[in-house]
């Protein structure tokens, strides 16, 4: 395996590890509680610490397949057929798309439940429109409930679902709420049923850490957690002092691991920027001496960059 392939594999593995740690951080109940307070109507205005108790069990992180037919699993217990979430190991059916985070939340009435899915994105995808994917996910969250959360034609038992997308590296901080509406085109008949079953929330996080006020409270928390610029102490200081979040060993370990990975990602970004600068100057006809002086590199280092990319430049 040559150096370029090794570097590509290493970078891919680094990104995958960062994504995994990001999911684990977002999957902490107290962090999810902060998200719920800003996105789910029932919990708005509540103290996130009080919302934690409404999250049922441990959130499923990267283990539930999105694919139709694979989200649920059937098994028998004490002679009874039970349908539940298919929480398979990530190595099984490798390559399948999986929900980042999925969990049940009990409502304040103590009876009804909602199903919440949280997805993290390093930036807005370019190969497809993110809202289209969110619509697919929220639809799967509903359709997969059949025989698990409701049986037969008991459609009144469908749980409300929320698919919440956190997108980093956006041009501005934003939040959109996408949901069903009923436009009366003719007459005023009141059709029975719930318009609040499907809910999509799109959260855009800019690169600049926003100030801490009510408007940007959630954005500042998410930006802090997922930043590749802040140090471990800076991150822990913000979430402890500004958000009164108790930092347990899991949060501390995940924040530390993310910061270590972030350093590698920053170094990779700087190296790619330097390489692009050198190649651009070479294309414009500057001499090796001129490029080396501007890039603050040796002539040998400049030659190595150009030689590595020569076939591309030809």
């Amino acid at each position: 395996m040559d150096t370029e392939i090794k570097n590509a594999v290493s970078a891919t593995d680094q990104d995958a590890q960062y994504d995994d740690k990001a999911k684990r951080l977002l999957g902490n109940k107290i962090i999810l509680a902060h998200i719920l307070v800003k996105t789910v109507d029932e919990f708005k205005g509540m103290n996130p610490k009080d919302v934690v108790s409404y999250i049922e069990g441990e959130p499923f992180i990267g283990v539930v397949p999105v694919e139709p037919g694979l989200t649920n699993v059937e098994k028998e217990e004490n002679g009874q057929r039970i349908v539940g979430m298919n929480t398979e190991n990530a190595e099984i059916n490798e390559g399948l798309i999986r929900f980042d985070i999925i969990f049940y939340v009990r409502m304040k009435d103590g009876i009804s439940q909602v199903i919440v899915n949280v997805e993290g994105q390093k930036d807005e995808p370019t190969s497809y429109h993110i809202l289209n994917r969110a619509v697919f996910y929220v639809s799967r969250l509903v359709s997969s409930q059949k025989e698990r959360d409701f049986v037969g034609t008991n459609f009144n038992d469908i749980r409300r679902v929320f698919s919440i997308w956190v997108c980093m590296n956006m041009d501005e901080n934003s939040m959109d709420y996408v949901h069903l509406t009923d436009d009366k085109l003719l007459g005023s008949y009141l059709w029975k049923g719930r318009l609040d079953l499907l809910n999509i929330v799109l959260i855009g996080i800019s690169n600049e850490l926003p100030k801490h006020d009510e408007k940007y409270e959630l954005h500042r928390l998410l930006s802090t957690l997922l930043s590749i610029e802040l140090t471990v102490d800076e991150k822990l200081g913000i979430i402890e002092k500004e958000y009164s979040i108790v930092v347990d060993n899991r949060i501390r370990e995940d924040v530390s691991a993310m910061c270590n990975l972030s350093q590698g990602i920053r170094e990779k970004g700087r190296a790619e920027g330097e390489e692009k600068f050198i190649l651009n100057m070479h294309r414009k006809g500057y001499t090796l001496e001129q490029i080396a002086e501007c890039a603050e590199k040796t002539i040998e280092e400049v030659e190595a960059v150009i030689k590595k990319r020569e076939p591309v430049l030809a």
Side-chain angles (χ1 to χ4, degrees):
M1 185 181 294
D2 62 31
T3 303
E4 194 165 347
I5 294 176
K6 281 183 180 177
N7 290 340
V9 171
S10 176
T12 301
D13 183 57
Q14 194 176 57
D15 289 341
Q17 289 181 55
Y18 181 87
D19 289 345
D20 180 62
K21 294 302 179 186
K23 291 175 193 175
R24 281 179 55 85
L25 263 179
L26 291 176
N28 276 275
K29 284 189 175 183
I30 186 60
I31 305 302
L32 293 174
H34 274 271
I35 294 174
L36 292 176
V37 164
K38 295 296 184 181
T39 56
V40 178
D41 45 8
E42 172 122 351
F43 300 115
K44 285 182 178 176
M46 287 183 63
N47 187 323
K49 291 180 181 177
D50 297 329
V51 176
V52 169
S53 62
Y54 292 98
I55 298 174
E56 301 198 323
E58 283 301 313
F60 303 121
I61 302 176
V63 293
V64 177
V66 176
E67 271 74 2
L70 294 179
T71 305
N72 297 336
V73 64
E74 293 185 22
K75 57 183 177 179
E76 289 222 0
E77 274 186 23
N78 300 324
Q80 287 189 318
R81 173 176 167 269
I82 296 175
V83 180
M85 289 284 191
N86 180 15
T87 55
E88 63 177 24
N89 188 296
E91 279 74 37
I92 299 174
N93 292 322
E94 189 174 356
L96 286 181
I97 299 173
R98 291 175 172 78
F99 292 108
D100 278 2
I101 304 165
I102 188 167
F103 57 100
Y104 283 86
V105 182
R106 182 71 60 178
M107 294 290 95
K108 288 187 288 186
D109 62 12
I111 301 171
S112 55
Q113 291 174 312
V114 298
I115 301 172
V116 180
N117 158 234
V118 176
E119 296 289 322
Q121 300 281 299
K122 285 196 290 293
D123 45 37
E124 186 174 10
T126 56
S127 58
Y128 59 85
H129 298 304
I130 196 165
L131 181 55
N132 293 351
R133 184 173 178 181
V135 168
F136 177 75
Y137 274 45
V138 85
S139 301
R140 287 292 302 128
L141 291 171
V142 171
S143 64
S144 67
Q145 291 182 47
K146 185 164 170 52
E147 307 307 324
R148 188 186 73 223
D149 298 303
F150 75 92
V151 296
T153 58
N154 296 329
F155 295 110
N156 287 356
D157 292 335
I158 294 175
R159 270 69 165 165
R160 293 181 72 197
V161 298
F162 284 79
S163 190
I164 302 168
W165 294 71
V166 179
C167 296
M168 300 294 295
N169 299 307
M170 302 295 286
D171 293 334
E172 62 176 334
N173 289 306
S174 62
M175 183 184 295
D176 286 36
Y177 175 43
V178 181
H179 53 103
L180 295 174
T181 59
D182 178 5
D183 295 326
K184 300 292 183 186
L185 301 181
L186 181 63
S188 57
Y189 184 78
L190 186 62
W191 296 94
K192 297 179 179 63
R194 302 182 61 177
L195 287 174
D196 64 351
L197 291 178
L198 302 180
N199 302 274
I200 295 171
V201 180
L202 303 172
I203 301 173
I205 308 291
S206 72
N207 288 322
E208 186 176 342
L209 188 68
K211 59 184 178 181
H212 190 185
D213 59 20
E214 186 178 353
K215 182 178 179 181
Y216 294 111
E217 192 171 23
L218 178 60
H219 287 72
R220 182 172 172 85
L221 175 60
L222 295 174
S223 183
T224 297
L225 289 171
L226 302 175
S227 170
I228 65 170
E229 300 297 335
L230 297 178
T231 65
V232 174
D233 289 339
E234 287 172 332
K235 288 189 178 193
L236 296 181
I238 289 174
I239 65 179
E240 280 184 307
K241 293 172 186 173
E242 297 184 16
Y243 294 90
S244 301
I245 293 174
V246 177
V247 176
D248 57 21
N249 287 337
R250 174 182 164 182
I251 292 179
R252 188 178 298 277
E253 288 172 5
D254 288 343
V255 167
S256 297
M258 277 188 67
C259 285
N260 289 336
L261 290 165
S262 296
Q263 183 178 352
I265 292 170
R266 285 198 303 272
E267 289 171 354
K268 184 184 77 170
R270 280 195 292 268
E272 289 174 349
E274 289 176 351
E275 183 177 286
K276 185 176 180 181
F277 175 75
I278 289 170
L279 294 173
N280 282 339
M281 290 194 73
H282 180 64
R283 286 191 189 96
K284 292 176 181 178
Y286 287 92
T287 66
L288 294 177
E289 290 77 9
Q290 289 172 322
I291 298 173
E293 183 178 353
C294 291
E296 296 182 346
K297 298 283 184 184
T298 65
I299 291 176
E300 289 74 22
E301 288 173 327
V302 170
E303 282 183 317
V305 170
I306 294 171
K307 186 176 180 181
K308 184 174 74 170
R309 299 299 300 273
E310 201 74 67
V312 178
L313 296 172

